Amino acid sequence: MSPEEMEQKEEMVLSMCICSSCPSWVECDEKGGYCLPAIGKSNCITDESGCICGGCPVTEELRLKNVYFCTRGSEKEQLGM
Ligand code: SF4
Ligand code: SF4
């Protein structure tokens, strides 16, 4: 994927991300999108108090298998890729 395509993908994911409505969300300078390898784990969310990624359009769009990307790492990281 070219840098432009990666940027477009990140913008698409951030525009659909529902992390800020999640019970585990911690308000800081982050915008979500933790499922993407370019973003990955959060630096401010540490407690797993529920994850709503399953209800996010990105999960369907990118056929994600995992949850808790903010604490456990991106989809690729959790798949061991
Ligand atoms: S799947 Fe989760 S981390 Fe990824 S964009 Fe949706 S809510 Fe955010
Ligand atoms: S990755 Fe999941 S647990 Fe973390 S903030 Fe987003 S929806 Fe909540």
Side-chain angles (χ1 to χ4, degrees):
M1 217 187 280
S2 74
E4 289 78 23
E5 284 169 334
M6 273 167 63
E7 211 171 289
Q8 276 174 1
K9 188 172 178 184
E10 189 170 325
E11 268 175 38
M12 182 271 284
V13 167
L14 288 176
S15 74
M16 294 199 275
C17 183
I18 57 170
C19 282
S20 62
S21 304
C22 170
S24 301
W25 179 254
V26 173
E27 198 61 49
C28 64
D29 62 351
E30 296 177 355
K31 296 188 289 254
Y34 308 112
C35 52
L36 283 179
I39 298 178
K41 275 184 202 153
S42 168
N43 289 314
C44 51
I45 301 170
T46 52
D47 293 338
E48 296 184 347
S49 310
C51 179
I52 58 172
C53 284
C56 172
V58 175
T59 288
E60 203 184 328
E61 181 82 22
L62 301 181
R63 297 191 185 85
L64 303 178
K65 306 261 184 297
N66 293 284
V67 291
Y68 281 117
F69 305 106
C70 59
T71 51
R72 302 180 190 176
S74 70
E75 174 78 354
K76 277 194 174 158
E77 193 179 342
Q78 292 197 54
L79 291 173
M81 292 164 75

